[in-house]
Amino acid sequence: MLFITEENLRYQYKKSPFDSYIIEKGSKLTPQARQFLLDFRIDIIDKSKPKKIKKEEIKLKDNPDSKKSDDDKLDKKAILIIKKLALELRDFDHEFATYLNNLAIKIYKNEKIDLEEKEGKKEEAINIYINMNLDNPYLKSFVSIDEAIEKLNKIKEENNEDFIDKLASILYIWFINISKGG
């Protein structure tokens, strides 16, 4: 029997974020691995158990309106970027990572998202990053944030520009606060 650990899942998710996880026959999740999947609202598909099809699922598949548009694909790209960032920042600030994860879920569910308008602090964040010692644990968090913002900016022309700019500002402000000990 193969046991799937939280560490295995984190490694896989970091390499390539996913929204469902298949447990093959003969494998089991450790409690921590199951909690990881639940925390990030990743669907668990257990091949050793027969699948029960709900009436709602059948209706959704039969509904022509349920086909995904290009906008949905862009939203999914943004969702995956935000969820991956949440995972990377979880060790630094679990509460903020949960906030990002919930934001991704709201985007997925097409719920209204109101982000506060905040003054951009990119330059200040870059200056802090440049002056950090290599052994500073927050060094990597800036790299993760900057990479995520860069990926989000690539899709922003086709998506909600205002939302992405506000999110970028929030991320830079978080980095400034956490690196100053706040």
Side-chain angles (χ1 to χ4, degrees), residues 25-37:
K25 290 181 181 177
S27 297
K28 294 256 185 206
L29 287 175
T30 63
Q32 293 85 358
R34 182 169 304 282
Q35 189 61 47
F36 170 82
L37 293 172

Side-chain angles (χ1 to χ4, degrees), residues 5-23:
T5 65
E6 178 185 8
E7 187 176 324
N8 300 129
L9 293 175
R10 280 180 180 251
Y11 178 77
Q12 289 175 20
Y13 192 85
K14 192 171 185 178
K15 282 177 57 177
S16 178
F18 47 88
D19 56 8
S20 64
Y21 187 80
I22 299 171
I23 304 170

Side-chain angles (χ1 to χ4, degrees), residues 84-96:
K84 182 179 180 191
L85 181 61
L87 178 64
E88 291 172 356
L89 299 181
R90 186 172 137 181
D91 292 335
F92 297 106
D93 185 344
H94 192 275
E95 186 177 329
F96 187 69

